[in-house]
Each structure stands twice: as structure tokens, then as C-alpha cells.
Coordinates of all heavy atoms in Angstrom, one line a residue:
M1203 N 66.9 12.7 110.9 CA 65.8 12.5 111.8 C 65.9 13.4 113.0 O 64.8 13.8 113.6 CB 65.7 11.1 112.2 CG 64.7 10.7 113.1 SD 63.1 10.5 112.2 CE 62.1 9.9 113.4
N1204 N 67.0 13.7 113.5 CA 67.2 14.6 114.7 C 66.6 15.9 114.6 O 66.1 16.5 115.6 CB 68.7 14.6 115.0 CG 69.0 15.3 116.3 OD1 68.1 15.3 117.2 ND2 70.2 15.8 116.5
I1205 N 66.7 16.4 113.4 CA 66.1 17.9 113.2 C 64.5 17.9 113.2 O 63.8 19.0 113.3 CB 66.7 18.5 112.0 CG1 66.5 20.0 112.0 CG2 66.1 18.0 110.7 CD1 67.4 20.7 111.0
C1206 N 64.0 16.8 112.8 CA 62.4 16.7 112.5 C 61.6 17.1 113.7 O 60.6 17.8 113.5 CB 62.2 15.3 112.0 SG 62.9 15.0 110.4
P1207 N 61.9 16.7 114.9 CA 61.0 17.1 116.0 C 61.0 18.7 116.3 O 60.1 19.2 116.7 CB 61.6 16.2 117.3 CG 62.3 15.1 116.7 CD 62.8 15.6 115.3
H1208 N 62.1 19.2 115.9 CA 62.3 20.6 116.1 C 61.5 21.4 115.1 O 61.2 22.6 115.3 CB 63.7 21.1 116.1 CG 64.6 20.5 117.2 ND1 64.4 20.8 118.5 CD2 65.5 19.5 117.2 CE1 65.3 20.0 119.2 NE2 66.0 19.3 118.4
R1209 N 61.2 20.8 114.0 CA 60.6 21.4 112.9 C 59.2 20.9 112.7 O 58.5 20.9 111.6 CB 61.3 21.1 111.6 CG 62.8 21.7 111.5 CD 62.8 23.2 111.2 NE 64.0 23.6 110.8 CZ 64.8 24.4 111.7 NH1 64.3 24.8 112.8 NH2 66.0 24.7 111.2
A1210 N 58.6 20.2 113.7 CA 57.2 19.5 113.6 C 56.2 20.5 113.3 O 56.1 21.6 113.8 CB 57.0 18.8 115.0
G1211 N 55.5 20.2 112.2 CA 54.4 21.0 111.7 C 54.7 22.1 111.0 O 53.8 23.0 110.7
T1212 N 55.9 22.4 110.6 CA 56.3 23.6 110.0 C 56.3 23.5 108.5 O 56.4 24.6 107.8 CB 57.8 24.0 110.4 OG1 58.7 23.0 110.0 CG2 57.8 24.3 111.8
M1213 N 56.3 22.3 107.9 CA 56.4 22.1 106.5 C 57.7 22.7 105.9 O 57.7 23.3 104.8 CB 55.1 22.6 105.7 CG 53.9 21.9 106.1 SD 52.5 22.2 105.1 CE 52.3 23.9 105.1
D1214 N 58.8 22.7 106.6 CA 60.0 23.2 106.2 C 60.6 22.6 104.9 O 60.8 21.3 104.8 CB 61.1 23.0 107.4 CG 62.4 23.7 107.1 OD1 62.8 23.7 106.0 OD2 62.9 24.3 108.1
L1215 N 60.8 23.4 103.9 CA 61.1 22.9 102.6 C 62.5 22.2 102.5 O 62.7 21.2 101.9 CB 61.0 24.0 101.5 CG 61.2 23.6 100.1 CD1 60.1 22.5 99.7 CD2 61.2 24.9 99.2
N1216 N 63.5 22.9 103.3 CA 64.8 22.3 103.3 C 64.8 20.9 103.9 O 65.5 20.0 103.4 CB 65.8 23.3 104.0 CG 66.1 24.5 103.2 OD1 66.1 24.5 102.0 ND2 66.2 25.6 104.0
V1217 N 64.1 20.7 105.0 CA 64.1 19.4 105.7 C 63.4 18.4 104.7 O 63.8 17.3 104.6 CB 63.5 19.5 107.1 CG1 63.3 18.2 107.7 CG2 64.3 20.5 107.9
T1218 N 62.3 18.8 104.1 CA 61.6 18.0 103.2 C 62.4 17.5 102.0 O 62.4 16.4 101.7 CB 60.4 18.8 102.6 OG1 59.5 19.2 103.7 CG2 59.6 17.9 101.6
K1219 N 63.3 18.4 101.6 CA 64.2 18.0 100.4 C 65.2 17.0 100.9 O 65.5 16.0 100.3 CB 64.9 19.2 99.9 CG 64.1 20.1 99.1 CD 64.9 21.3 98.6 CE 64.1 22.2 97.7 NZ 64.9 23.5 97.3
M1220 N 65.7 17.2 102.2 CA 66.7 16.3 102.7 C 66.1 14.9 103.0 O 66.7 13.8 102.6 CB 67.3 16.9 104.0 CG 68.2 16.0 104.7 SD 68.8 16.6 106.3 CE 67.2 16.6 107.2
L1221 N 64.8 14.9 103.4 CA 64.2 13.6 103.7 C 63.8 12.9 102.5 O 63.8 11.6 102.3 CB 63.0 13.8 104.6 CG 63.3 14.3 106.1 CD1 62.1 14.6 106.8 CD2 64.1 13.2 106.8
S1222 N 63.4 13.7 101.5 CA 62.9 13.1 100.2 C 63.9 12.3 99.4 O 63.6 11.5 98.6 CB 62.2 14.2 99.3 OG 61.2 14.8 99.9
I1223 N 65.1 12.6 99.6 CA 66.2 12.0 99.0 C 66.3 10.5 99.3 O 66.7 9.5 98.6 CB 67.6 12.7 99.2 CG1 67.6 14.0 98.6 CG2 68.8 11.8 98.7 CD1 68.8 14.8 99.0
H1224 N 65.9 10.2 100.6 CA 65.9 8.8 101.2 C 64.7 8.1 101.0 O 64.6 7.0 101.5 CB 66.2 9.1 102.7 CG 67.6 9.7 102.9 ND1 67.7 11.1 103.2 CD2 68.8 9.3 102.8 CE1 68.9 11.5 103.3 NE2 69.7 10.3 103.1
I1225 N 63.6 8.6 100.4 CA 62.4 7.9 100.3 C 62.2 7.7 98.7 O 61.9 8.7 98.0 CB 61.2 8.8 100.8 CG1 61.5 9.1 102.3 CG2 59.9 8.0 100.7 CD1 60.5 10.0 102.9
P1226 N 62.3 6.4 98.3 CA 62.1 6.2 96.9 C 60.9 6.6 96.2 O 60.9 7.0 95.1 CB 62.3 4.7 96.7 CG 63.0 4.2 98.0 CD 62.6 5.2 99.1
A1227 N 59.8 6.6 96.9 CA 58.5 7.0 96.4 C 58.4 8.6 96.1 O 57.6 9.0 95.4 CB 57.4 6.7 97.3
L1228 N 59.3 9.4 96.7 CA 59.3 10.9 96.5 C 60.4 11.2 95.5 O 60.4 12.4 95.2 CB 59.5 11.6 97.9 CG 58.4 11.3 98.9 CD1 58.8 12.0 100.2 CD2 57.1 11.9 98.4
L1229 N 61.1 10.4 95.0 CA 62.1 10.6 94.0 C 61.4 10.8 92.6 O 60.4 10.0 92.3 CB 63.2 9.7 93.9 CG 64.0 9.7 95.2 CD1 65.1 8.5 95.1 CD2 64.9 11.0 95.3
P1230 N 61.9 11.6 91.7 CA 61.3 11.6 90.4 C 61.5 10.2 89.7 O 62.6 9.5 89.9 CB 62.1 12.7 89.6 CG 63.0 13.3 90.6 CD 62.9 12.5 91.9
P1231 N 60.7 9.8 88.7 CA 60.8 8.5 88.1 C 62.2 8.3 87.3 O 62.7 7.2 87.1 CB 59.6 8.3 87.2 CG 58.9 9.7 87.3 CD 59.4 10.4 88.3
T1232 N 62.7 9.3 86.8 CA 63.9 9.4 86.0 C 65.2 9.4 86.8 O 66.2 9.5 86.2 CB 63.9 10.5 85.0 OG1 63.8 11.8 85.6 CG2 62.8 10.3 84.0
S1233 N 65.1 9.5 88.2 CA 66.2 9.7 89.0 C 67.0 8.4 89.1 O 66.5 7.3 88.9 CB 65.8 10.2 90.3 OG 65.1 9.1 91.0
T1234 N 68.3 8.6 89.4 CA 69.2 7.4 89.6 C 68.9 6.7 90.9 O 68.6 7.4 92.0 CB 70.7 7.9 89.8 OG1 71.0 8.7 88.5 CG2 71.6 6.7 89.8
E1235 N 68.7 5.4 90.9 CA 68.4 4.6 92.0 C 69.6 4.6 93.0 O 70.7 4.3 92.8 CB 68.0 3.2 91.7 CG 67.4 2.5 92.8 CD 66.7 1.3 92.3 OE1 66.1 1.3 91.2 OE2 66.6 0.3 93.0
L1236 N 69.2 5.1 94.2 CA 70.3 5.2 95.3 C 70.2 3.8 96.2 O 69.0 3.4 96.3 CB 70.0 6.4 96.1 CG 70.1 7.7 95.4 CD1 69.6 8.9 96.3 CD2 71.5 8.0 94.8
D1237 N 71.3 3.6 96.7 CA 71.3 2.4 97.7 C 71.1 2.9 99.0 O 72.2 3.2 99.7 CB 72.5 1.5 97.5 CG 72.5 0.3 98.3 OD1 71.3 -0.2 98.6 OD2 73.5 -0.2 98.7
V1238 N 69.9 3.1 99.5 CA 69.7 3.8 100.9 C 69.2 2.6 101.7 O 68.5 1.7 101.4 CB 68.4 4.7 100.8 CG1 68.3 5.4 102.1 CG2 68.9 5.8 99.7
Q1239 N 70.0 2.6 102.9 CA 69.7 1.5 103.9 C 68.2 1.6 104.4 O 67.6 2.6 104.4 CB 70.6 1.7 105.2 CG 72.0 1.3 104.9 CD 72.8 1.5 106.1 OE1 72.3 1.9 107.2 NE2 74.1 1.1 106.0
H1240 N 67.6 0.4 104.6 CA 66.3 0.3 105.1 C 65.9 1.1 106.3 O 64.8 1.8 106.4 CB 65.9 -1.1 105.3 CG 64.5 -1.4 105.7 ND1 63.4 -1.1 105.0 CD2 64.0 -1.6 107.0 CE1 62.4 -1.3 105.7 NE2 62.7 -1.7 106.9
V1241 N 66.8 1.2 107.3 CA 66.5 1.9 108.5 C 66.5 3.4 108.2 O 65.7 4.1 108.7 CB 67.7 1.6 109.6 CG1 67.6 2.4 110.7 CG2 67.7 0.1 109.9
V1242 N 67.2 3.9 107.3 CA 67.2 5.3 106.9 C 66.0 5.6 106.2 O 65.4 6.7 106.5 CB 68.5 5.6 106.0 CG1 68.5 7.0 105.6 CG2 69.9 5.2 106.8
Q1243 N 65.4 4.7 105.4 CA 64.2 5.0 104.7 C 63.1 5.0 105.7 O 62.2 5.9 105.5 CB 63.9 3.8 103.6 CG 64.8 3.8 102.4 CD 64.5 2.7 101.5 OE1 63.4 2.1 101.6 NE2 65.3 2.5 100.5
V1244 N 63.0 4.1 106.6 CA 62.0 4.1 107.6 C 62.0 5.5 108.5 O 60.9 6.1 108.7 CB 62.1 2.9 108.5 CG1 61.2 3.0 109.7 CG2 61.8 1.7 107.7
S1245 N 63.2 5.8 108.9 CA 63.4 7.1 109.6 C 63.0 8.3 108.8 O 62.4 9.2 109.3 CB 64.9 7.2 110.0 OG 65.2 6.2 110.8
A1246 N 63.3 8.4 107.5 CA 62.9 9.5 106.7 C 61.3 9.6 106.5 O 60.8 10.6 106.5 CB 63.6 9.3 105.4
V1247 N 60.7 8.4 106.5 CA 59.2 8.4 106.3 C 58.5 9.0 107.6 O 57.7 9.8 107.5 CB 58.7 6.9 106.1 CG1 57.2 6.8 106.3 CG2 59.1 6.5 104.7
V1248 N 59.1 8.6 108.8 CA 58.6 9.1 110.0 C 59.0 10.5 110.2 O 58.1 11.3 110.7 CB 59.1 8.3 111.2 CG1 58.8 8.9 112.6 CG2 58.6 6.8 111.2
G1249 N 60.2 10.9 109.6 CA 60.5 12.3 109.6 C 59.6 13.2 108.9 O 59.2 14.3 109.2
I1250 N 59.2 12.7 107.7 CA 58.1 13.4 106.9 C 56.8 13.7 107.7 O 56.3 14.7 107.7 CB 57.9 12.7 105.5 CG1 59.1 12.9 104.6 CG2 56.6 13.2 104.9 CD1 59.2 14.3 104.1
G1251 N 56.4 12.6 108.4 CA 55.3 12.7 109.2 C 55.4 13.7 110.3 O 54.4 14.5 110.6
L1252 N 56.6 13.9 110.9 CA 56.7 14.9 112.0 C 56.8 16.4 111.3 O 56.2 17.2 111.9 CB 58.1 14.6 112.7 CG 58.1 13.4 113.6 CD1 59.5 13.1 114.1 CD2 57.2 13.7 114.8
V1253 N 57.5 16.4 110.2 CA 57.7 17.8 109.6 C 56.2 18.3 109.1 O 56.0 19.5 109.2 CB 58.7 17.8 108.5 CG1 58.6 19.1 107.7 CG2 60.0 17.5 109.0
Y1254 N 55.4 17.4 108.6 CA 54.1 17.8 108.2 C 53.0 17.4 109.2 O 51.8 17.3 108.8 CB 53.9 17.1 106.8 CG 54.6 17.8 105.7 CD1 55.9 17.5 105.5 CD2 54.1 18.8 105.0 CE1 56.7 18.0 104.5 CE2 54.8 19.5 104.0 CZ 56.0 19.1 103.7 OH 56.8 19.7 102.8
Q1255 N 53.4 17.3 110.4 CA 52.4 17.0 111.5 C 51.2 18.0 111.6 O 51.4 19.2 111.5 CB 53.0 17.0 112.9 CG 52.3 16.6 114.0 CD 53.0 16.5 115.3 OE1 54.2 16.6 115.2 NE2 52.4 16.3 116.4
K1256 N 50.0 17.5 111.6 CA 48.8 18.3 111.7 C 48.5 19.3 110.6 O 47.9 20.2 110.7 CB 48.7 19.0 113.0 CG 48.7 18.3 114.3 CD 48.6 19.2 115.5 CE 48.7 18.3 116.7 NZ 48.4 19.2 118.0
T1257 N 49.1 19.0 109.4 CA 48.9 19.9 108.2 C 47.8 19.4 107.2 O 47.4 20.2 106.4 CB 50.3 20.2 107.6 OG1 50.7 18.9 107.0 CG2 51.3 20.8 108.5
A1258 N 47.5 18.1 107.3 CA 46.7 17.5 106.3 C 47.2 17.8 104.9 O 46.4 17.9 104.0 CB 45.3 17.9 106.5
H1259 N 48.5 17.7 104.7 CA 49.1 17.9 103.4 C 48.8 16.8 102.4 O 49.0 15.6 102.6 CB 50.7 18.0 103.5 CG 51.3 18.6 102.3 ND1 51.6 17.8 101.3 CD2 51.7 19.8 102.0 CE1 52.2 18.4 100.4 NE2 52.3 19.8 100.8
R1260 N 48.0 17.1 101.3 CA 47.4 16.2 100.5 C 48.4 15.2 99.7 O 48.2 14.0 99.7 CB 46.4 16.8 99.5 CG 45.7 15.8 98.6 CD 44.8 16.5 97.6 NE 44.2 15.5 96.8 CZ 42.8 15.3 96.7 NH1 42.1 16.1 97.4 NH2 42.4 14.5 96.0
R1261 N 49.4 15.8 99.2 CA 50.3 15.1 98.4 C 51.0 14.1 99.3 O 51.2 12.8 98.8 CB 51.4 16.0 97.8 CG 52.5 15.2 97.1 CD 53.3 15.9 96.1 NE 54.6 15.5 95.7 CZ 55.0 14.3 95.5 NH1 54.2 13.2 95.7 NH2 56.1 14.0 95.0
F1262 N 51.6 14.4 100.5 CA 52.2 13.5 101.3 C 51.3 12.5 101.9 O 51.6 11.2 102.1 CB 53.0 14.1 102.4 CG 54.3 14.9 101.9 CD1 54.4 16.2 101.9 CD2 55.3 14.1 101.5 CE1 55.5 16.8 101.4 CE2 56.5 14.7 100.9 CZ 56.5 16.1 100.9
A1263 N 50.1 12.9 102.1 CA 49.1 11.9 102.6 C 48.8 10.8 101.5 O 48.7 9.7 101.8 CB 47.7 12.5 103.0
E1264 N 48.7 11.1 100.3 CA 48.4 10.2 99.2 C 49.7 9.3 99.0 O 49.5 8.1 98.8 CB 48.2 11.0 97.9 CG 46.8 11.6 97.9 CD 46.5 12.4 96.7 OE1 47.4 12.6 95.9 OE2 45.3 12.8 96.7
V1265 N 51.0 9.9 99.0 CA 52.1 9.1 98.9 C 52.2 8.1 100.0 O 52.5 6.9 99.8 CB 53.4 10.0 98.8 CG1 54.6 9.1 98.9 CG2 53.4 10.8 97.5
L1266 N 52.0 8.5 101.2 CA 52.1 7.5 102.3 C 51.0 6.5 102.3 O 51.3 5.3 102.6 CB 52.1 8.3 103.6 CG 53.3 9.1 103.9 CD1 53.0 10.1 105.1 CD2 54.5 8.4 104.1
L1267 N 49.9 6.9 101.8 CA 48.8 5.8 101.7 C 49.2 4.8 100.6 O 48.9 3.6 100.8 CB 47.5 6.5 101.4 CG 46.3 5.7 101.5 CD1 46.0 5.3 102.9 CD2 45.1 6.6 101.1
D1268 N 49.7 5.3 99.5 CA 50.2 4.4 98.5 C 51.4 3.4 99.1 O 51.4 2.2 98.7 CB 50.8 5.0 97.3 CG 49.6 5.7 96.4 OD1 48.4 5.1 96.7 OD2 49.9 6.6 95.7
E1269 N 52.2 4.0 99.9 CA 53.4 3.2 100.4 C 52.9 2.2 101.4 O 53.5 1.1 101.6 CB 54.3 4.1 101.2 CG 55.1 4.9 100.2 CD 55.9 4.1 99.2 OE1 56.8 3.5 99.6 OE2 55.6 4.1 98.0
I1270 N 51.8 2.4 102.2 CA 51.3 1.4 103.0 C 50.9 0.1 102.3 O 51.2 -0.9 102.8 CB 50.1 2.0 103.9 CG1 50.6 3.0 104.8 CG2 49.4 0.9 104.7 CD1 49.4 3.8 105.5
G1271 N 50.2 0.3 101.2 CA 49.7 -0.9 100.5 C 50.6 -1.4 99.4 O 50.2 -2.4 98.7
R1272 N 51.7 -0.7 99.2 CA 52.6 -1.2 98.1 C 53.1 -2.6 98.3 O 53.6 -2.9 99.5 CB 53.7 -0.2 98.0 CG 54.6 -0.5 96.7 CD 55.5 0.6 96.5 NE 56.4 0.8 97.6 CZ 57.7 0.7 97.6 NH1 58.4 0.1 96.6 NH2 58.4 0.8 98.7
P1273 N 53.2 -3.5 97.4 CA 53.7 -5.0 97.6 C 55.3 -4.8 97.7 O 55.8 -3.9 97.2 CB 53.3 -5.6 96.4 CG 53.0 -4.7 95.4 CD 52.5 -3.4 96.1
P1274 N 55.9 -5.8 98.4 CA 57.4 -5.7 98.5 C 58.0 -6.0 97.1 O 57.5 -6.8 96.5 CB 57.7 -6.8 99.5 CG 56.5 -7.7 99.6 CD 55.2 -6.8 99.1
G1275 N 59.1 -5.3 96.8 CA 59.7 -5.4 95.6 C 61.1 -6.1 95.8 O 61.4 -6.5 97.0
P1276 N 61.9 -6.1 94.8 CA 63.3 -6.8 95.0 C 64.2 -6.0 95.9 O 65.1 -6.6 96.5 CB 63.8 -6.7 93.6 CG 63.1 -5.7 92.8 CD 61.6 -5.6 93.6
E1277 N 63.9 -4.7 96.2 CA 64.7 -3.9 97.1 C 64.5 -4.3 98.6 O 65.4 -4.1 99.3 CB 64.5 -2.4 96.9 CG 63.2 -1.9 97.4 CD 62.0 -2.1 96.5 OE1 62.2 -2.6 95.4 OE2 60.9 -1.8 96.9
M1278 N 63.4 -4.9 98.9 CA 63.1 -5.3 100.2 C 63.7 -6.7 100.3 O 63.3 -7.6 99.8 CB 61.7 -5.2 100.5 CG 61.0 -3.8 100.5 SD 61.7 -2.8 101.9 CE 60.9 -1.3 101.5
E1279 N 64.6 -6.9 101.4 CA 65.2 -8.2 101.5 C 64.2 -9.3 102.0 O 64.4 -10.4 101.8 CB 66.4 -8.1 102.5 CG 67.5 -7.2 101.8 CD 68.6 -6.9 102.8 OE1 68.6 -7.5 104.0 OE2 69.5 -6.1 102.5
N1280 N 63.4 -8.9 102.9 CA 62.4 -9.8 103.5 C 61.1 -9.1 103.9 O 61.1 -7.9 103.9 CB 63.1 -10.5 104.7 CG 63.5 -9.8 105.8 OD1 62.8 -8.8 106.1 ND2 64.6 -10.0 106.4
S1281 N 60.2 -9.8 104.4 CA 58.8 -9.3 104.6 C 58.9 -8.4 105.9 O 58.1 -7.5 106.0 CB 57.8 -10.4 104.8 OG 58.2 -11.2 105.9
T1282 N 59.9 -8.7 106.8 CA 59.9 -7.8 108.0 C 60.3 -6.4 107.6 O 59.8 -5.5 108.2 CB 60.9 -8.4 109.0 OG1 60.6 -9.7 109.2 CG2 61.0 -7.6 110.3
D1283 N 61.1 -6.3 106.6 CA 61.5 -4.9 106.1 C 60.3 -4.2 105.6 O 60.1 -3.0 105.9 CB 62.6 -5.0 105.1 CG 64.0 -5.4 105.7 OD1 64.2 -5.4 106.9 OD2 65.0 -5.6 104.8
R1284 N 59.6 -4.9 104.8 CA 58.4 -4.3 104.2 C 57.4 -3.9 105.2 O 56.7 -2.8 105.2 CB 57.8 -5.2 103.2 CG 56.5 -4.8 102.5 CD 56.9 -3.7 101.6 NE 55.8 -2.7 101.5 CZ 55.9 -1.5 101.3 NH1 56.9 -0.8 101.2 NH2 54.7 -0.7 101.2
E1285 N 57.1 -4.7 106.3 CA 56.1 -4.5 107.4 C 56.6 -3.3 108.1 O 55.8 -2.5 108.5 CB 56.0 -5.6 108.3 CG 55.3 -6.8 107.6 CD 55.3 -8.1 108.4 OE1 55.8 -8.1 109.5 OE2 54.7 -9.1 107.9
S1286 N 57.9 -3.2 108.5 CA 58.3 -1.9 109.3 C 58.2 -0.7 108.5 O 57.8 0.4 109.0 CB 59.8 -2.2 109.7 OG 60.6 -2.3 108.6
Y1287 N 58.4 -0.9 107.1 CA 58.2 0.4 106.2 C 56.8 0.7 106.2 O 56.4 1.9 106.3 CB 58.9 0.1 105.0 CG 58.9 1.2 104.0 CD1 59.8 2.2 104.1 CD2 57.9 1.5 103.0 CE1 60.1 3.4 103.2 CE2 57.9 2.6 102.1 CZ 59.0 3.5 102.2 OH 59.0 4.6 101.4
S1288 N 55.8 -0.2 106.0 CA 54.4 0.0 106.0 C 54.0 0.7 107.4 O 53.2 1.6 107.4 CB 53.7 -1.2 105.7 OG 53.9 -1.6 104.4
L1289 N 54.6 0.2 108.5 CA 54.1 0.7 109.8 C 54.5 2.2 109.9 O 53.9 3.0 110.4 CB 54.8 -0.2 110.8 CG 54.5 0.3 112.3 CD1 53.1 0.2 112.6 CD2 55.3 -0.6 113.3
A1290 N 55.8 2.4 109.5 CA 56.3 3.8 109.6 C 55.4 4.7 108.7 O 55.2 5.9 109.1 CB 57.8 3.8 109.1
A1291 N 55.1 4.2 107.5 CA 54.2 5.1 106.7 C 52.9 5.3 107.2 O 52.3 6.4 107.2 CB 54.0 4.4 105.3
G1292 N 52.3 4.3 107.9 CA 51.1 4.5 108.6 C 51.1 5.4 109.8 O 50.2 6.3 110.0
L1293 N 52.3 5.4 110.5 CA 52.5 6.4 111.6 C 52.6 7.7 111.1 O 52.1 8.8 111.6 CB 53.7 6.0 112.4 CG 53.6 4.8 113.3 CD1 54.9 4.3 113.9 CD2 52.5 4.9 114.4
A1294 N 53.4 7.9 110.0 CA 53.6 9.2 109.4 C 52.3 9.8 108.9 O 52.0 10.9 109.0 CB 54.6 9.2 108.2
L1295 N 51.5 8.9 108.3 CA 50.1 9.3 107.8 C 49.2 9.8 109.0 O 48.5 10.8 108.8 CB 49.5 8.2 107.0 CG 48.0 8.6 106.4 CD1 48.1 9.7 105.4 CD2 47.5 7.3 105.8
G1296 N 49.3 9.1 110.0 CA 48.6 9.5 111.3 C 49.0 10.8 111.7 O 48.2 11.6 112.1
L1297 N 50.4 11.1 111.8 CA 50.8 12.3 112.3 C 50.3 13.5 111.3 O 50.0 14.6 111.8 CB 52.3 12.3 112.3 CG 53.0 11.6 113.4 CD1 54.5 11.4 113.2 CD2 52.6 12.1 114.8
I1298 N 50.4 13.3 110.0 CA 49.9 14.3 109.1 C 48.6 14.7 109.2 O 48.1 15.7 109.2 CB 50.4 13.8 107.6 CG1 51.9 13.9 107.4 CG2 49.6 14.8 106.7 CD1 52.3 13.3 106.1
M1299 N 47.7 13.6 109.4 CA 46.2 13.9 109.5 C 45.7 14.1 110.9 O 44.6 14.2 111.2 CB 45.5 12.7 108.9 CG 45.9 12.3 107.5 SD 45.7 13.8 106.4 CE 44.0 13.8 106.1
L1300 N 46.6 14.2 111.9 CA 46.3 14.4 113.3 C 45.5 15.7 113.5 O 45.8 16.8 113.1 CB 47.6 14.4 114.1 CG 47.5 14.4 115.6 CD1 46.9 13.0 116.1 CD2 48.8 14.7 116.3
G1301 N 44.4 15.6 114.2 CA 43.6 16.7 114.6 C 42.8 17.2 113.3 O 42.1 18.3 113.5
V1302 N 42.6 16.6 112.2 CA 41.9 17.0 111.1 C 40.5 16.6 111.3 O 40.2 15.4 111.5 CB 42.5 16.5 109.8 CG1 41.6 16.9 108.6 CG2 43.9 17.0 109.6
N1303 N 39.5 17.5 111.1 CA 38.0 17.3 111.2 C 37.5 17.0 109.7 O 37.8 17.9 108.9 CB 37.3 18.3 111.9 CG 37.6 18.4 113.3 OD1 37.9 17.3 114.0 ND2 37.6 19.6 113.9
F1304 N 36.8 16.0 109.6 CA 36.3 15.7 108.3 C 34.8 16.0 108.1 O 34.1 15.4 107.4 CB 36.6 14.2 107.7 CG 38.0 14.0 107.5 CD1 38.8 13.4 108.4 CD2 38.6 14.6 106.4 CE1 40.1 13.0 108.2 CE2 40.0 14.3 106.1 CZ 40.8 13.6 107.0
Y1305 N 34.3 16.8 109.0 CA 32.8 17.1 109.1 C 32.5 18.1 108.2 O 33.1 19.1 107.9 CB 32.4 17.4 110.5 CG 32.7 16.4 111.5 CD1 33.7 16.5 112.4 CD2 32.1 15.2 111.4 CE1 33.9 15.5 113.3 CE2 32.4 14.2 112.3 CZ 33.3 14.4 113.3 OH 33.6 13.3 114.1

């Protein structure tokens, strides 16, 4: 997360790869399930928002939109974890779409 503000809006591929490892929605379906702490997942989601700030990147916007509405699964210990993850996804989506005109 520390490197993300320095790479804000750059769509840096190396940082994206590093953050994607910590976000289950960005992993391939056949990948091994990793035990990533909830705080790390939330930080990675916000980091994606920072790295893709003001880019209107379609793929990440769609993934984050899906994450906002995804119901809690067995990996989420309680509803507070799910709410914080959804809030982080919403903030990241807002950062990605910041300054985009839809006219």
C-alpha cells in the first residue's frame, strides 16, 4: 500500500500484479486459495483504486462493482469484515472513475 500513492494514476503493471495477489476476485479461478488477512485485502483494493486513479479502466471498474454487491461468503468472519471490504471497493471504484465525463 505504501507504493500506491507514488504510482497514482500510472496503471503500473508491476504494482497491479503485486496487489492482485491479495484480492481474491482478481485471481484466476483455478488458482490456489491463499489465506490473506482481511486488512491486507482491504488495503489492496484501495491500492488498486489509487494505481488506476482517473483512468476509467473498465475491467477494474467492473470487478470492483461486483465486489461491492457480492454477498459474504465463508471466508468473511462477520458482517463488519464484509462491510469494510465493500466500502473499500466503493472508494476504489470512485477513485478509478474520478473526473470521468459521461456526456
Side-chain angles (χ1 to χ4, degrees):
M1203 180 76 177
N1204 189 21
I1205 199 168
C1206 296
H1208 300 291
R1209 302 275 194 255
T1212 62
M1213 298 193 306
D1214 188 320
L1215 188 59
N1216 291 326
V1217 177
T1218 301
K1219 288 179 182 179
M1220 179 183 63
L1221 293 172
S1222 296
I1223 293 171
H1224 300 96
I1225 303 172
L1228 295 176
L1229 293 174
T1232 58
S1233 66
T1234 306
E1235 191 161 325
L1236 301 173
D1237 185 29
V1238 181
Q1239 292 181 353
H1240 176 70
V1241 176
V1242 175
Q1243 289 180 11
V1244 170
S1245 298
V1247 167
V1248 174
I1250 287 288
L1252 286 170
V1253 172
Y1254 285 84
Q1255 183 177 355
K1256 296 183 181 180
T1257 62
H1259 194 277
R1260 184 180 179 123
R1261 171 156 164 40
F1262 285 113
E1264 288 176 355
V1265 167
L1266 292 172
L1267 195 57
D1268 288 340
E1269 289 300 293
I1270 292 171
R1272 188 170 58 111
E1277 72 279 356
M1278 297 289 177
E1279 295 174 7
N1280 57 39
S1281 62
T1282 306
D1283 288 350
R1284 181 68 209 148
E1285 289 174 4
S1286 62
Y1287 188 79
S1288 293
L1289 177 63
L1293 291 171
L1295 179 62
L1297 286 170
I1298 290 172
M1299 302 307 283
L1300 190 67
V1302 176
N1303 292 325
F1304 291 108
Y1305 300 111

